[in-house]
Amino acid sequence: MTEREGVTVVDHPLVQHKLTIMRDKNTSTASFRRLLREIAALLTYEATRDLELTTTRIETPLAEIVAPTLSGKKLVFASILRAGNGLLEGMLDLVPAARVAHIGLYRDPKTLQPVEYYFKAPEGLHERVVIAVDPMLATANSAIAAVHRLKERGANDLRFVCLLAAPEGVDAFRAAHPDVPVVTASIDSHLDDHGYIVPGLGDAGDRMYGTK
Ligand code: PRP
Ligand code: URA
């Protein structure tokens, strides 16, 4: 795992191997979706590393012990639609009891500004850890807007998980939300003239759902 201020790049061999297959333009929709779900669980493992624990008294078949257990209210995963849902599945595999927020945003292809079409979040965001998810952090306009909306609803302990980030997006996101750590599998080279991550993997939503 490599670190830079507020950003964790998960360079675990399994994550990097799966990511390479996802980048390949010849990888099928079915494989892409399965790999995204698998990598999501591994990224979530890192993003939840510092969750607070408390203790509980239990009886094993052999003895009574005081053992660690997660403290506080259930986690919230906030999926930025559509592509966030691909990561969400794998995150829920790891934390099945998590609550889920949905933030519908699409990126206007001309202005690269996010357009919101849906927002629904569980109550009590102010007392929960909230992990916002989207496979791609390109300009970061979408992620910045989504986190802003979550903060408006009270969230104050946030993280952002993505599969790929552009250096421009990381800088913009950290400038807008310096209190929100980022976990990603890669920081790629740059953005192209259309705001696509290079080398990237193309349009994550299209590759997940077989659209164009
Ligand atoms: C993609 C991606 C992010 C956004 C990233 O979504 O899933 O939400 O673009 O770009 P940005 O960092 O420059 O904002 P898109 O708008 O294509 O919508 P979709 O998930 O519905 O396909
Ligand atoms: N959205 C994507 O899905 N891919 C990119 O490279 C940039 C934005």
Side-chain angles (χ1 to χ4, degrees), residues 53-60 63-71:
L53 290 172
T54 182
T55 54
T56 184
R57 186 174 296 275
I58 57 161
E59 281 180 52
T60 77
E64 186 176 306
I65 54 166
V66 174
T69 185
L70 289 174
S71 77

Side-chain angles (χ1 to χ4, degrees), residues 107 136 138 195-197 202-204:
R107 192 172 80 147
M136 311 303 272
Y196 275 84
I197 299 173
D203 186 295

Side-chain angles (χ1 to χ4, degrees), residues 27-211:
T27 294
S28 70
T29 300
S31 297
F32 188 93
R33 213 183 289 148
R34 180 177 47 77
L35 288 159
L36 185 58
R37 183 173 183 150
E38 290 170 1
I39 291 184
L42 299 166
L43 296 177
T44 306
Y45 180 77
E46 290 304 337
T48 53
R49 185 173 278 286
D50 63 345
L51 288 185
E52 282 182 25
L53 290 172
T54 182
T55 54
T56 184
R57 186 174 296 275
I58 57 161
E59 281 180 52
T60 77
L62 300 180
E64 186 176 306
I65 54 166
V66 174
T69 185
L70 289 174
S71 77
K73 291 210 170 243
K74 300 278 186 290
L75 281 176
V76 172
F77 296 144
S79 171
I80 303 174
L81 304 176
R82 292 174 298 172
N85 275 4
L87 278 174
L88 175 68
E89 294 298 324
M91 298 175 80
L92 289 171
D93 288 341
L94 201 65
V95 191
R99 304 311 193 226
V100 177
H102 291 96
I103 306 167
L105 290 176
Y106 70 88
R107 192 172 80 147
D108 182 288
K110 286 210 172 67
T111 64
L112 301 185
Q113 291 304 313
V115 180
E116 184 178 314
Y117 58 88
Y118 187 76
F119 184 93
K120 185 101 178 167
E123 292 297 310
L125 291 187
H126 63 285
E127 45 187 0
R128 298 177 188 271
V129 172
V130 179
I131 305 182
V133 298
D134 191 325
M136 311 303 272
L137 189 70
T139 64
N141 291 339
S142 305
I144 290 169
V147 168
H148 181 68
R149 292 285 279 121
L150 291 163
K151 285 182 174 177
E152 270 180 358
R153 289 295 187 97
N156 56 34
D157 187 357
L158 283 135
R159 295 116 210 239
F160 182 77
V161 171
C162 61
L163 181 65
L164 288 187
E168 298 91 328
V170 170
D171 290 346
F173 184 83
R174 292 288 302 159
H177 297 295
D179 56 315
V180 181
V182 174
V183 175
T184 184
S186 175
I187 300 176
D188 276 12
S189 167
H190 62 279
L191 291 177
D192 73 8
D193 293 343
H194 304 286
Y196 275 84
I197 299 173
V198 182
L201 50 73
D203 186 295
D206 285 349
R207 294 204 59 192
M208 272 174 59
Y209 295 119
T211 50

